[in-house]
Amino acid sequence: QVQLVESGGGLVQVGGSLRLSCTTSGLTLSTYAMGWFRQAPGKEREFVAGVHWRGVITLYADSVKGRFTISRDNAKNTVNLQMNSLKPEDTAVYYCAATRSWATPRSREYDYWGQGTQVTVSS
């Protein structure tokens, strides 16, 4: 069965960095666009970043543009999210997701989801 497993979350101070990874199994990663989403307490899940199949085209939410970088390694079945200059408002559970469609900010377009990893940015 398809599995997406996030890792790399944790506690970091304002201005710090974290690198999240999403390891996939049970699917051919090169045929899926991938996305990262996040959900803070009391808020709806929101799009963070997306990457198309070959990693050439990327999308970012305005709130993370210039600070976060999404990348993928299809040979290693992983998708990464490098997060720099972290802010308290980045605190959330981060999820990776896979879609057979184009990478999109619309969460309902994604077919598979991971369980999430907690990121906490302390001030």
Side-chain angles (χ1 to χ4, degrees), residues 43-107:
K43 295 188 177 181
E44 293 191 353
R45 189 173 298 187
E46 65 174 358
F47 172 78
V48 175
V51 58
H52 290 297
W53 309 291
R54 295 185 180 179
V56 176
I57 299 175
T58 55
L59 308 172
Y60 294 96
D62 287 343
S63 58
V64 306
K65 213 170 280 185
R67 300 188 298 122
F68 290 11
T69 303
I70 189 171
S71 62
R72 64 190 296 158
D73 187 335
N74 290 337
K76 295 183 178 179
N77 295 317
T78 59
V79 180
N80 299 306
L81 185 68
Q82 178 66 42
M83 306 187 297
N84 299 328
S85 302
L86 284 162
K87 305 175 181 180
E89 51 264 43
D90 295 319
T91 295
V93 177
Y94 283 71
Y95 300 89
C96 70
T99 176
R100 291 300 300 268
S101 180
W102 292 91
T104 169
R106 296 187 297 271
S107 60

